Amino acid sequence: MGNKYTSKTFIVEILAVLLGLVFLVPFYYVLSNSLKSFAEILSNTSALPTTIQFQNFVNAFNQMNYLKVLSNSLIITVISNAVLVIFCSMAAYMLVRTKKKISSIIFMAFVAAMVIPFQSIMIPLVKVAGNLNLLNSIWGIVIMYLGFGSGMTIFLYHGFIKGIPIELEEAAIIDGCSRLGVFWRIVFPLLKPITVTVVILNSLWIWNDFLLPSLVLQDPELRTIPLATFFFFGQYTKQWDLALAALVISIIPLLIFFFAMQKHIVKGITSGSIK
């Protein structure tokens, strides 16, 4: 029985390693080709670079104005996450604790909005945003991310809050705490695991989003990293060497964020499974 179990485990581990290698193939192509010259990329994309071209990263860094687009992406991502966490956690809390039919209707409306494709509303969105002077504005795109991200964020918070005992809140109210105080002092600290999950999911979405910023942020000074990377692809030329180098340096902040949050990710998964 022990040998049988060991052999099964070995096969599963081998399959897991192979599957991991399959997922690493795109990263290999991006990293190896970012170190090649443009001519070498065209001649053989799968081979290792014969001469390492670190100058690709310097040229990409300068041409895309990396520090500026990095700060734009950071500002938009951080503010959007803060707004989503504050508003959606409070909304989900009220929808859970308000035992009325209207609460269920509102919650279902948020969930239903998740299935509406962005492409179907992007033209009316741009027109309305133009009328409200929200184009070429950091706060304008933050408001749009709040609208598009509310459905999933409220859905996640809603499910987690239902698992929090209401007796904790009743005890705080008896001690003289207001409803708002109950949320921020009692409920919100308990939402840390799901808040970490929400921040990670929304950060990946907002940081990598191309379509919405391309419609809203026409000012070159407000470009995000995906927009700056796109400009290496012109109508007649495609600067693959610089574009791939730009992709590599664009991934670095996300990797740092992921490794910094790794402990909280594991804690959130285990806590969510218990819930």
mmCIF file with all atom_site columns, all heavy atoms in Angstrom, residues 70-86 138-139 142 145 199 202-204 206-207 257:
data_model
loop_
_atom_site.group_PDB
_atom_site.id
_atom_site.type_symbol
_atom_site.label_atom_id
_atom_site.label_alt_id
_atom_site.label_comp_id
_atom_site.label_asym_id
_atom_site.label_entity_id
_atom_site.label_seq_id
_atom_site.pdbx_PDB_ins_code
_atom_site.Cartn_x
_atom_site.Cartn_y
_atom_site.Cartn_z
_atom_site.occupancy
_atom_site.B_iso_or_equiv
_atom_site.pdbx_formal_charge
_atom_site.auth_seq_id
_atom_site.auth_comp_id
_atom_site.auth_asym_id
_atom_site.auth_atom_id
_atom_site.pdbx_PDB_model_num
ATOM 1   N N   . LEU A 1 70  ? 5.512   54.570 -14.571 1.00 0.00 ? 70  LEU A N   1
ATOM 2   C CA  . LEU A 1 70  ? 5.435   53.744 -13.369 1.00 0.00 ? 70  LEU A CA  1
ATOM 3   C C   . LEU A 1 70  ? 4.682   54.476 -12.267 1.00 0.00 ? 70  LEU A C   1
ATOM 4   O O   . LEU A 1 70  ? 3.818   53.892 -11.591 1.00 0.00 ? 70  LEU A O   1
ATOM 5   C CB  . LEU A 1 70  ? 6.841   53.378 -12.888 1.00 0.00 ? 70  LEU A CB  1
ATOM 6   C CG  . LEU A 1 70  ? 6.921   52.618 -11.555 1.00 0.00 ? 70  LEU A CG  1
ATOM 7   C CD1 . LEU A 1 70  ? 6.262   51.248 -11.664 1.00 0.00 ? 70  LEU A CD1 1
ATOM 8   C CD2 . LEU A 1 70  ? 8.373   52.479 -11.108 1.00 0.00 ? 70  LEU A CD2 1
ATOM 9   N N   . SER A 1 71  ? 4.986   55.758 -12.088 1.00 0.00 ? 71  SER A N   1
ATOM 10  C CA  . SER A 1 71  ? 4.282   56.533 -11.058 1.00 0.00 ? 71  SER A CA  1
ATOM 11  C C   . SER A 1 71  ? 2.801   56.664 -11.401 1.00 0.00 ? 71  SER A C   1
ATOM 12  O O   . SER A 1 71  ? 1.949   56.594 -10.498 1.00 0.00 ? 71  SER A O   1
ATOM 13  C CB  . SER A 1 71  ? 4.918   57.912 -10.903 1.00 0.00 ? 71  SER A CB  1
ATOM 14  O OG  . SER A 1 71  ? 4.765   58.685 -12.090 1.00 0.00 ? 71  SER A OG  1
ATOM 15  N N   . ASN A 1 72  ? 2.477   56.846 -12.692 1.00 0.00 ? 72  ASN A N   1
ATOM 16  C CA  . ASN A 1 72  ? 1.072   56.918 -13.086 1.00 0.00 ? 72  ASN A CA  1
ATOM 17  C C   . ASN A 1 72  ? 0.344   55.617 -12.766 1.00 0.00 ? 72  ASN A C   1
ATOM 18  O O   . ASN A 1 72  ? -0.771  55.632 -12.225 1.00 0.00 ? 72  ASN A O   1
ATOM 19  C CB  . ASN A 1 72  ? 0.955   57.217 -14.583 1.00 0.00 ? 72  ASN A CB  1
ATOM 20  C CG  . ASN A 1 72  ? 1.385   58.626 -14.937 1.00 0.00 ? 72  ASN A CG  1
ATOM 21  O OD1 . ASN A 1 72  ? 1.406   59.512 -14.086 1.00 0.00 ? 72  ASN A OD1 1
ATOM 22  N ND2 . ASN A 1 72  ? 1.749   58.837 -16.183 1.00 0.00 ? 72  ASN A ND2 1
ATOM 23  N N   . SER A 1 73  ? 0.956   54.491 -13.115 1.00 0.00 ? 73  SER A N   1
ATOM 24  C CA  . SER A 1 73  ? 0.335   53.192 -12.837 1.00 0.00 ? 73  SER A CA  1
ATOM 25  C C   . SER A 1 73  ? 0.181   52.964 -11.338 1.00 0.00 ? 73  SER A C   1
ATOM 26  O O   . SER A 1 73  ? -0.853  52.448 -10.879 1.00 0.00 ? 73  SER A O   1
ATOM 27  C CB  . SER A 1 73  ? 1.166   52.062 -13.456 1.00 0.00 ? 73  SER A CB  1
ATOM 28  O OG  . SER A 1 73  ? 1.089   52.092 -14.863 1.00 0.00 ? 73  SER A OG  1
ATOM 29  N N   . LEU A 1 74  ? 1.196   53.333 -10.569 1.00 0.00 ? 74  LEU A N   1
ATOM 30  C CA  . LEU A 1 74  ? 1.123   53.159 -9.119  1.00 0.00 ? 74  LEU A CA  1
ATOM 31  C C   . LEU A 1 74  ? 0.015   54.012 -8.510  1.00 0.00 ? 74  LEU A C   1
ATOM 32  O O   . LEU A 1 74  ? -0.761  53.535 -7.669  1.00 0.00 ? 74  LEU A O   1
ATOM 33  C CB  . LEU A 1 74  ? 2.469   53.517 -8.478  1.00 0.00 ? 74  LEU A CB  1
ATOM 34  C CG  . LEU A 1 74  ? 3.581   52.473 -8.575  1.00 0.00 ? 74  LEU A CG  1
ATOM 35  C CD1 . LEU A 1 74  ? 4.888   53.036 -8.033  1.00 0.00 ? 74  LEU A CD1 1
ATOM 36  C CD2 . LEU A 1 74  ? 3.200   51.212 -7.802  1.00 0.00 ? 74  LEU A CD2 1
ATOM 37  N N   . ILE A 1 75  ? -0.062  55.263 -8.927  1.00 0.00 ? 75  ILE A N   1
ATOM 38  C CA  . ILE A 1 75  ? -1.085  56.169 -8.381  1.00 0.00 ? 75  ILE A CA  1
ATOM 39  C C   . ILE A 1 75  ? -2.481  55.642 -8.690  1.00 0.00 ? 75  ILE A C   1
ATOM 40  O O   . ILE A 1 75  ? -3.349  55.570 -7.812  1.00 0.00 ? 75  ILE A O   1
ATOM 41  C CB  . ILE A 1 75  ? -0.899  57.594 -8.944  1.00 0.00 ? 75  ILE A CB  1
ATOM 42  C CG1 . ILE A 1 75  ? 0.377   58.220 -8.379  1.00 0.00 ? 75  ILE A CG1 1
ATOM 43  C CG2 . ILE A 1 75  ? -2.107  58.470 -8.622  1.00 0.00 ? 75  ILE A CG2 1
ATOM 44  C CD1 . ILE A 1 75  ? 0.771   59.529 -9.041  1.00 0.00 ? 75  ILE A CD1 1
ATOM 45  N N   . ILE A 1 76  ? -2.713  55.264 -9.949  1.00 0.00 ? 76  ILE A N   1
ATOM 46  C CA  . ILE A 1 76  ? -4.039  54.776 -10.351 1.00 0.00 ? 76  ILE A CA  1
ATOM 47  C C   . ILE A 1 76  ? -4.382  53.489 -9.623  1.00 0.00 ? 76  ILE A C   1
ATOM 48  O O   . ILE A 1 76  ? -5.502  53.313 -9.117  1.00 0.00 ? 76  ILE A O   1
ATOM 49  C CB  . ILE A 1 76  ? -4.087  54.577 -11.875 1.00 0.00 ? 76  ILE A CB  1
ATOM 50  C CG1 . ILE A 1 76  ? -4.005  55.925 -12.589 1.00 0.00 ? 76  ILE A CG1 1
ATOM 51  C CG2 . ILE A 1 76  ? -5.359  53.837 -12.293 1.00 0.00 ? 76  ILE A CG2 1
ATOM 52  C CD1 . ILE A 1 76  ? -3.848  55.820 -14.095 1.00 0.00 ? 76  ILE A CD1 1
ATOM 53  N N   . THR A 1 77  ? -3.421  52.566 -9.528  1.00 0.00 ? 77  THR A N   1
ATOM 54  C CA  . THR A 1 77  ? -3.682  51.273 -8.887  1.00 0.00 ? 77  THR A CA  1
ATOM 55  C C   . THR A 1 77  ? -3.937  51.422 -7.395  1.00 0.00 ? 77  THR A C   1
ATOM 56  O O   . THR A 1 77  ? -4.881  50.831 -6.853  1.00 0.00 ? 77  THR A O   1
ATOM 57  C CB  . THR A 1 77  ? -2.498  50.317 -9.120  1.00 0.00 ? 77  THR A CB  1
ATOM 58  O OG1 . THR A 1 77  ? -2.271  50.174 -10.529 1.00 0.00 ? 77  THR A OG1 1
ATOM 59  C CG2 . THR A 1 77  ? -2.791  48.947 -8.527  1.00 0.00 ? 77  THR A CG2 1
ATOM 60  N N   . VAL A 1 78  ? -3.115  52.212 -6.712  1.00 0.00 ? 78  VAL A N   1
ATOM 61  C CA  . VAL A 1 78  ? -3.256  52.373 -5.260  1.00 0.00 ? 78  VAL A CA  1
ATOM 62  C C   . VAL A 1 78  ? -4.559  53.084 -4.911  1.00 0.00 ? 78  VAL A C   1
ATOM 63  O O   . VAL A 1 78  ? -5.319  52.638 -4.032  1.00 0.00 ? 78  VAL A O   1
ATOM 64  C CB  . VAL A 1 78  ? -2.048  53.145 -4.686  1.00 0.00 ? 78  VAL A CB  1
ATOM 65  C CG1 . VAL A 1 78  ? -2.294  53.524 -3.224  1.00 0.00 ? 78  VAL A CG1 1
ATOM 66  C CG2 . VAL A 1 78  ? -0.780  52.307 -4.804  1.00 0.00 ? 78  VAL A CG2 1
ATOM 67  N N   . ILE A 1 79  ? -4.852  54.193 -5.601  1.00 0.00 ? 79  ILE A N   1
ATOM 68  C CA  . ILE A 1 79  ? -6.076  54.945 -5.284  1.00 0.00 ? 79  ILE A CA  1
ATOM 69  C C   . ILE A 1 79  ? -7.312  54.122 -5.623  1.00 0.00 ? 79  ILE A C   1
ATOM 70  O O   . ILE A 1 79  ? -8.280  54.087 -4.849  1.00 0.00 ? 79  ILE A O   1
ATOM 71  C CB  . ILE A 1 79  ? -6.092  56.291 -6.040  1.00 0.00 ? 79  ILE A CB  1
ATOM 72  C CG1 . ILE A 1 79  ? -4.946  57.184 -5.572  1.00 0.00 ? 79  ILE A CG1 1
ATOM 73  C CG2 . ILE A 1 79  ? -7.426  57.006 -5.829  1.00 0.00 ? 79  ILE A CG2 1
ATOM 74  C CD1 . ILE A 1 79  ? -4.849  58.508 -6.305  1.00 0.00 ? 79  ILE A CD1 1
ATOM 75  N N   . SER A 1 80  ? -7.284  53.429 -6.767  1.00 0.00 ? 80  SER A N   1
ATOM 76  C CA  . SER A 1 80  ? -8.437  52.613 -7.159  1.00 0.00 ? 80  SER A CA  1
ATOM 77  C C   . SER A 1 80  ? -8.681  51.502 -6.145  1.00 0.00 ? 80  SER A C   1
ATOM 78  O O   . SER A 1 80  ? -9.828  51.219 -5.773  1.00 0.00 ? 80  SER A O   1
ATOM 79  C CB  . SER A 1 80  ? -8.218  52.022 -8.550  1.00 0.00 ? 80  SER A CB  1
ATOM 80  O OG  . SER A 1 80  ? -8.091  53.036 -9.524  1.00 0.00 ? 80  SER A OG  1
ATOM 81  N N   . ASN A 1 81  ? -7.612  50.858 -5.687  1.00 0.00 ? 81  ASN A N   1
ATOM 82  C CA  . ASN A 1 81  ? -7.762  49.803 -4.682  1.00 0.00 ? 81  ASN A CA  1
ATOM 83  C C   . ASN A 1 81  ? -8.320  50.349 -3.377  1.00 0.00 ? 81  ASN A C   1
ATOM 84  O O   . ASN A 1 81  ? -9.197  49.729 -2.757  1.00 0.00 ? 81  ASN A O   1
ATOM 85  C CB  . ASN A 1 81  ? -6.409  49.132 -4.423  1.00 0.00 ? 81  ASN A CB  1
ATOM 86  C CG  . ASN A 1 81  ? -6.195  47.908 -5.288  1.00 0.00 ? 81  ASN A CG  1
ATOM 87  O OD1 . ASN A 1 81  ? -7.029  47.016 -5.326  1.00 0.00 ? 81  ASN A OD1 1
ATOM 88  N ND2 . ASN A 1 81  ? -5.084  47.868 -5.985  1.00 0.00 ? 81  ASN A ND2 1
ATOM 89  N N   . ALA A 1 82  ? -7.825  51.506 -2.946  1.00 0.00 ? 82  ALA A N   1
ATOM 90  C CA  . ALA A 1 82  ? -8.313  52.093 -1.701  1.00 0.00 ? 82  ALA A CA  1
ATOM 91  C C   . ALA A 1 82  ? -9.797  52.427 -1.797  1.00 0.00 ? 82  ALA A C   1
ATOM 92  O O   . ALA A 1 82  ? -10.577 52.131 -0.879  1.00 0.00 ? 82  ALA A O   1
ATOM 93  C CB  . ALA A 1 82  ? -7.505  53.351 -1.371  1.00 0.00 ? 82  ALA A CB  1
ATOM 94  N N   . VAL A 1 83  ? -10.193 53.014 -2.914  1.00 0.00 ? 83  VAL A N   1
ATOM 95  C CA  . VAL A 1 83  ? -11.602 53.377 -3.104  1.00 0.00 ? 83  VAL A CA  1
ATOM 96  C C   . VAL A 1 83  ? -12.478 52.133 -3.165  1.00 0.00 ? 83  VAL A C   1
ATOM 97  O O   . VAL A 1 83  ? -13.561 52.084 -2.557  1.00 0.00 ? 83  VAL A O   1
ATOM 98  C CB  . VAL A 1 83  ? -11.757 54.227 -4.385  1.00 0.00 ? 83  VAL A CB  1
ATOM 99  C CG1 . VAL A 1 83  ? -13.226 54.431 -4.731  1.00 0.00 ? 83  VAL A CG1 1
ATOM 100 C CG2 . VAL A 1 83  ? -11.082 55.582 -4.218  1.00 0.00 ? 83  VAL A CG2 1
ATOM 101 N N   . LEU A 1 84  ? -12.034 51.121 -3.893  1.00 0.00 ? 84  LEU A N   1
ATOM 102 C CA  . LEU A 1 84  ? -12.805 49.883 -4.001  1.00 0.00 ? 84  LEU A CA  1
ATOM 103 C C   . LEU A 1 84  ? -12.962 49.199 -2.648  1.00 0.00 ? 84  LEU A C   1
ATOM 104 O O   . LEU A 1 84  ? -14.054 48.731 -2.295  1.00 0.00 ? 84  LEU A O   1
ATOM 105 C CB  . LEU A 1 84  ? -12.131 48.934 -4.997  1.00 0.00 ? 84  LEU A CB  1
ATOM 106 C CG  . LEU A 1 84  ? -12.391 49.209 -6.475  1.00 0.00 ? 84  LEU A CG  1
ATOM 107 C CD1 . LEU A 1 84  ? -11.391 48.452 -7.345  1.00 0.00 ? 84  LEU A CD1 1
ATOM 108 C CD2 . LEU A 1 84  ? -13.810 48.805 -6.851  1.00 0.00 ? 84  LEU A CD2 1
ATOM 109 N N   . VAL A 1 85  ? -11.888 49.118 -1.876  1.00 0.00 ? 85  VAL A N   1
ATOM 110 C CA  . VAL A 1 85  ? -11.948 48.451 -0.572  1.00 0.00 ? 85  VAL A CA  1
ATOM 111 C C   . VAL A 1 85  ? -12.890 49.196 0.368   1.00 0.00 ? 85  VAL A C   1
ATOM 112 O O   . VAL A 1 85  ? -13.747 48.588 1.032   1.00 0.00 ? 85  VAL A O   1
ATOM 113 C CB  . VAL A 1 85  ? -10.539 48.339 0.045   1.00 0.00 ? 85  VAL A CB  1
ATOM 114 C CG1 . VAL A 1 85  ? -10.615 47.960 1.522   1.00 0.00 ? 85  VAL A CG1 1
ATOM 115 C CG2 . VAL A 1 85  ? -9.714  47.307 -0.715  1.00 0.00 ? 85  VAL A CG2 1
ATOM 116 N N   . ILE A 1 86  ? -12.769 50.518 0.439   1.00 0.00 ? 86  ILE A N   1
ATOM 117 C CA  . ILE A 1 86  ? -13.582 51.294 1.385   1.00 0.00 ? 86  ILE A CA  1
ATOM 118 C C   . ILE A 1 86  ? -15.062 51.220 1.026   1.00 0.00 ? 86  ILE A C   1
ATOM 119 O O   . ILE A 1 86  ? -15.907 50.855 1.851   1.00 0.00 ? 86  ILE A O   1
ATOM 120 C CB  . ILE A 1 86  ? -13.100 52.755 1.415   1.00 0.00 ? 86  ILE A CB  1
ATOM 121 C CG1 . ILE A 1 86  ? -11.701 52.840 2.038   1.00 0.00 ? 86  ILE A CG1 1
ATOM 122 C CG2 . ILE A 1 86  ? -14.086 53.627 2.200   1.00 0.00 ? 86  ILE A CG2 1
ATOM 123 C CD1 . ILE A 1 86  ? -11.052 54.200 1.929   1.00 0.00 ? 86  ILE A CD1 1
ATOM 124 N N   . ILE A 1 138 ? -6.904  61.469 -13.660 1.00 0.00 ? 138 ILE A N   1
ATOM 125 C CA  . ILE A 1 138 ? -6.645  60.327 -12.785 1.00 0.00 ? 138 ILE A CA  1
ATOM 126 C C   . ILE A 1 138 ? -7.900  59.961 -12.010 1.00 0.00 ? 138 ILE A C   1
ATOM 127 O O   . ILE A 1 138 ? -8.270  58.783 -11.920 1.00 0.00 ? 138 ILE A O   1
ATOM 128 C CB  . ILE A 1 138 ? -5.497  60.632 -11.811 1.00 0.00 ? 138 ILE A CB  1
ATOM 129 C CG1 . ILE A 1 138 ? -4.171  60.840 -12.572 1.00 0.00 ? 138 ILE A CG1 1
ATOM 130 C CG2 . ILE A 1 138 ? -5.346  59.504 -10.788 1.00 0.00 ? 138 ILE A CG2 1
ATOM 131 C CD1 . ILE A 1 138 ? -3.638  59.619 -13.257 1.00 0.00 ? 138 ILE A CD1 1
ATOM 132 N N   . TRP A 1 139 ? -8.580  60.964 -11.463 1.00 0.00 ? 139 TRP A N   1
ATOM 133 C CA  . TRP A 1 139 ? -9.782  60.692 -10.683 1.00 0.00 ? 139 TRP A CA  1
ATOM 134 C C   . TRP A 1 139 ? -10.907 60.158 -11.562 1.00 0.00 ? 139 TRP A C   1
ATOM 135 O O   . TRP A 1 139 ? -11.735 59.370 -11.115 1.00 0.00 ? 139 TRP A O   1
ATOM 136 C CB  . TRP A 1 139 ? -10.235 61.954 -9.945  1.00 0.00 ? 139 TRP A CB  1
ATOM 137 C CG  . TRP A 1 139 ? -9.381  62.267 -8.774  1.00 0.00 ? 139 TRP A CG  1
ATOM 138 C CD1 . TRP A 1 139 ? -8.479  63.283 -8.653  1.00 0.00 ? 139 TRP A CD1 1
ATOM 139 C CD2 . TRP A 1 139 ? -9.303  61.533 -7.549  1.00 0.00 ? 139 TRP A CD2 1
ATOM 140 N NE1 . TRP A 1 139 ? -7.850  63.235 -7.440  1.00 0.00 ? 139 TRP A NE1 1
ATOM 141 C CE2 . TRP A 1 139 ? -8.332  62.167 -6.734  1.00 0.00 ? 139 TRP A CE2 1
ATOM 142 C CE3 . TRP A 1 139 ? -9.950  60.401 -7.058  1.00 0.00 ? 139 TRP A CE3 1
ATOM 143 C CZ2 . TRP A 1 139 ? -8.011  61.710 -5.471  1.00 0.00 ? 139 TRP A CZ2 1
ATOM 144 C CZ3 . TRP A 1 139 ? -9.628  59.942 -5.788  1.00 0.00 ? 139 TRP A CZ3 1
ATOM 145 C CH2 . TRP A 1 139 ? -8.670  60.593 -5.007  1.00 0.00 ? 139 TRP A CH2 1
ATOM 146 N N   . VAL A 1 142 ? -10.233 56.501 -11.974 1.00 0.00 ? 142 VAL A N   1
ATOM 147 C CA  . VAL A 1 142 ? -10.461 55.836 -10.684 1.00 0.00 ? 142 VAL A CA  1
ATOM 148 C C   . VAL A 1 142 ? -11.954 55.612 -10.465 1.00 0.00 ? 142 VAL A C   1
ATOM 149 O O   . VAL A 1 142 ? -12.380 54.532 -10.009 1.00 0.00 ? 142 VAL A O   1
ATOM 150 C CB  . VAL A 1 142 ? -9.864  56.676 -9.533  1.00 0.00 ? 142 VAL A CB  1
ATOM 151 C CG1 . VAL A 1 142 ? -10.367 56.171 -8.179  1.00 0.00 ? 142 VAL A CG1 1
ATOM 152 C CG2 . VAL A 1 142 ? -8.343  56.625 -9.574  1.00 0.00 ? 142 VAL A CG2 1
ATOM 153 N N   . TYR A 1 145 ? -12.975 52.691 -12.597 1.00 0.00 ? 145 TYR A N   1
ATOM 154 C CA  . TYR A 1 145 ? -12.550 51.414 -12.008 1.00 0.00 ? 145 TYR A CA  1
ATOM 155 C C   . TYR A 1 145 ? -13.430 51.045 -10.810 1.00 0.00 ? 145 TYR A C   1
ATOM 156 O O   . TYR A 1 145 ? -13.700 49.852 -10.571 1.00 0.00 ? 145 TYR A O   1
ATOM 157 C CB  . TYR A 1 145 ? -11.085 51.480 -11.583 1.00 0.00 ? 145 TYR A CB  1
ATOM 158 C CG  . TYR A 1 145 ? -10.115 51.265 -12.707 1.00 0.00 ? 145 TYR A CG  1
ATOM 159 C CD1 . TYR A 1 145 ? -9.038  52.114 -12.923 1.00 0.00 ? 145 TYR A CD1 1
ATOM 160 C CD2 . TYR A 1 145 ? -10.267 50.172 -13.570 1.00 0.00 ? 145 TYR A CD2 1
ATOM 161 C CE1 . TYR A 1 145 ? -8.146  51.904 -13.963 1.00 0.00 ? 145 TYR A CE1 1
ATOM 162 C CE2 . TYR A 1 145 ? -9.384  49.961 -14.618 1.00 0.00 ? 145 TYR A CE2 1
ATOM 163 C CZ  . TYR A 1 145 ? -8.327  50.832 -14.810 1.00 0.00 ? 145 TYR A CZ  1
ATOM 164 O OH  . TYR A 1 145 ? -7.456  50.615 -15.851 1.00 0.00 ? 145 TYR A OH  1
ATOM 165 N N   . VAL A 1 199 ? -7.451  43.034 -3.034  1.00 0.00 ? 199 VAL A N   1
ATOM 166 C CA  . VAL A 1 199 ? -6.389  43.942 -3.485  1.00 0.00 ? 199 VAL A CA  1
ATOM 167 C C   . VAL A 1 199 ? -5.520  43.278 -4.546  1.00 0.00 ? 199 VAL A C   1
ATOM 168 O O   . VAL A 1 199 ? -5.150  43.898 -5.553  1.00 0.00 ? 199 VAL A O   1
ATOM 169 C CB  . VAL A 1 199 ? -5.541  44.410 -2.282  1.00 0.00 ? 199 VAL A CB  1
ATOM 170 C CG1 . VAL A 1 199 ? -4.275  45.126 -2.757  1.00 0.00 ? 199 VAL A CG1 1
ATOM 171 C CG2 . VAL A 1 199 ? -6.357  45.331 -1.391  1.00 0.00 ? 199 VAL A CG2 1
ATOM 172 N N   . ASN A 1 202 ? -7.629  42.906 -7.888  1.00 0.00 ? 202 ASN A N   1
ATOM 173 C CA  . ASN A 1 202 ? -7.854  44.203 -8.526  1.00 0.00 ? 202 ASN A CA  1
ATOM 174 C C   . ASN A 1 202 ? -6.556  44.843 -8.992  1.00 0.00 ? 202 ASN A C   1
ATOM 175 O O   . ASN A 1 202 ? -6.530  45.538 -10.012 1.00 0.00 ? 202 ASN A O   1
ATOM 176 C CB  . ASN A 1 202 ? -8.592  45.142 -7.566  1.00 0.00 ? 202 ASN A CB  1
ATOM 177 C CG  . ASN A 1 202 ? -10.054 44.777 -7.404  1.00 0.00 ? 202 ASN A CG  1
ATOM 178 O OD1 . ASN A 1 202 ? -10.669 44.228 -8.323  1.00 0.00 ? 202 ASN A OD1 1
ATOM 179 N ND2 . ASN A 1 202 ? -10.623 45.072 -6.254  1.00 0.00 ? 202 ASN A ND2 1
ATOM 180 N N   . SER A 1 203 ? -5.464  44.613 -8.260  1.00 0.00 ? 203 SER A N   1
ATOM 181 C CA  . SER A 1 203 ? -4.164  45.165 -8.681  1.00 0.00 ? 203 SER A CA  1
ATOM 182 C C   . SER A 1 203 ? -3.714  44.551 -10.000 1.00 0.00 ? 203 SER A C   1
ATOM 183 O O   . SER A 1 203 ? -3.230  45.264 -10.896 1.00 0.00 ? 203 SER A O   1
ATOM 184 C CB  . SER A 1 203 ? -3.116  44.924 -7.599  1.00 0.00 ? 203 SER A CB  1
ATOM 185 O OG  . SER A 1 203 ? -3.419  45.626 -6.421  1.00 0.00 ? 203 SER A OG  1
ATOM 186 N N   . LEU A 1 204 ? -3.852  43.231 -10.126 1.00 0.00 ? 204 LEU A N   1
ATOM 187 C CA  . LEU A 1 204 ? -3.485  42.574 -11.384 1.00 0.00 ? 204 LEU A CA  1
ATOM 188 C C   . LEU A 1 204 ? -4.326  43.097 -12.539 1.00 0.00 ? 204 LEU A C   1
ATOM 189 O O   . LEU A 1 204 ? -3.814  43.327 -13.643 1.00 0.00 ? 204 LEU A O   1
ATOM 190 C CB  . LEU A 1 204 ? -3.651  41.061 -11.247 1.00 0.00 ? 204 LEU A CB  1
ATOM 191 C CG  . LEU A 1 204 ? -2.692  40.356 -10.285 1.00 0.00 ? 204 LEU A CG  1
ATOM 192 C CD1 . LEU A 1 204 ? -3.076  38.891 -10.140 1.00 0.00 ? 204 LEU A CD1 1
ATOM 193 C CD2 . LEU A 1 204 ? -1.258  40.472 -10.782 1.00 0.00 ? 204 LEU A CD2 1
ATOM 194 N N   . ILE A 1 206 ? -6.079  46.107 -12.737 1.00 0.00 ? 206 ILE A N   1
ATOM 195 C CA  . ILE A 1 206 ? -5.878  47.537 -13.017 1.00 0.00 ? 206 ILE A CA  1
ATOM 196 C C   . ILE A 1 206 ? -4.492  47.788 -13.587 1.00 0.00 ? 206 ILE A C   1
ATOM 197 O O   . ILE A 1 206 ? -4.318  48.554 -14.534 1.00 0.00 ? 206 ILE A O   1
ATOM 198 C CB  . ILE A 1 206 ? -6.103  48.349 -11.729 1.00 0.00 ? 206 ILE A CB  1
ATOM 199 C CG1 . ILE A 1 206 ? -7.568  48.235 -11.288 1.00 0.00 ? 206 ILE A CG1 1
ATOM 200 C CG2 . ILE A 1 206 ? -5.733  49.809 -11.938 1.00 0.00 ? 206 ILE A CG2 1
ATOM 201 C CD1 . ILE A 1 206 ? -7.839  48.786 -9.903  1.00 0.00 ? 206 ILE A CD1 1
ATOM 202 N N   . TRP A 1 207 ? -3.482  47.128 -13.029 1.00 0.00 ? 207 TRP A N   1
ATOM 203 C CA  . TRP A 1 207 ? -2.099  47.351 -13.481 1.00 0.00 ? 207 TRP A CA  1
ATOM 204 C C   . TRP A 1 207 ? -1.917  46.940 -14.947 1.00 0.00 ? 207 TRP A C   1
ATOM 205 O O   . TRP A 1 207 ? -1.237  47.613 -15.703 1.00 0.00 ? 207 TRP A O   1
ATOM 206 C CB  . TRP A 1 207 ? -1.141  46.562 -12.598 1.00 0.00 ? 207 TRP A CB  1
ATOM 207 C CG  . TRP A 1 207 ? 0.312   46.816 -12.882 1.00 0.00 ? 207 TRP A CG  1
ATOM 208 C CD1 . TRP A 1 207 ? 1.097   46.181 -13.798 1.00 0.00 ? 207 TRP A CD1 1
ATOM 209 C CD2 . TRP A 1 207 ? 1.147   47.780 -12.244 1.00 0.00 ? 207 TRP A CD2 1
ATOM 210 N NE1 . TRP A 1 207 ? 2.372   46.682 -13.769 1.00 0.00 ? 207 TRP A NE1 1
ATOM 211 C CE2 . TRP A 1 207 ? 2.431   47.670 -12.827 1.00 0.00 ? 207 TRP A CE2 1
ATOM 212 C CE3 . TRP A 1 207 ? 0.936   48.722 -11.234 1.00 0.00 ? 207 TRP A CE3 1
ATOM 213 C CZ2 . TRP A 1 207 ? 3.497   48.469 -12.425 1.00 0.00 ? 207 TRP A CZ2 1
ATOM 214 C CZ3 . TRP A 1 207 ? 2.002   49.519 -10.839 1.00 0.00 ? 207 TRP A CZ3 1
ATOM 215 C CH2 . TRP A 1 207 ? 3.263   49.384 -11.437 1.00 0.00 ? 207 TRP A CH2 1
ATOM 216 N N   . PHE A 1 257 ? 5.518   43.074 -5.608  1.00 0.00 ? 257 PHE A N   1
ATOM 217 C CA  . PHE A 1 257 ? 4.248   43.131 -4.871  1.00 0.00 ? 257 PHE A CA  1
ATOM 218 C C   . PHE A 1 257 ? 3.778   41.732 -4.486  1.00 0.00 ? 257 PHE A C   1
ATOM 219 O O   . PHE A 1 257 ? 3.359   41.493 -3.349  1.00 0.00 ? 257 PHE A O   1
ATOM 220 C CB  . PHE A 1 257 ? 3.197   43.837 -5.731  1.00 0.00 ? 257 PHE A CB  1
ATOM 221 C CG  . PHE A 1 257 ? 1.796   43.754 -5.185  1.00 0.00 ? 257 PHE A CG  1
ATOM 222 C CD1 . PHE A 1 257 ? 1.422   44.529 -4.097  1.00 0.00 ? 257 PHE A CD1 1
ATOM 223 C CD2 . PHE A 1 257 ? 0.860   42.911 -5.757  1.00 0.00 ? 257 PHE A CD2 1
ATOM 224 C CE1 . PHE A 1 257 ? 0.137   44.465 -3.591  1.00 0.00 ? 257 PHE A CE1 1
ATOM 225 C CE2 . PHE A 1 257 ? -0.429  42.837 -5.260  1.00 0.00 ? 257 PHE A CE2 1
ATOM 226 C CZ  . PHE A 1 257 ? -0.790  43.612 -4.171  1.00 0.00 ? 257 PHE A CZ  1
#
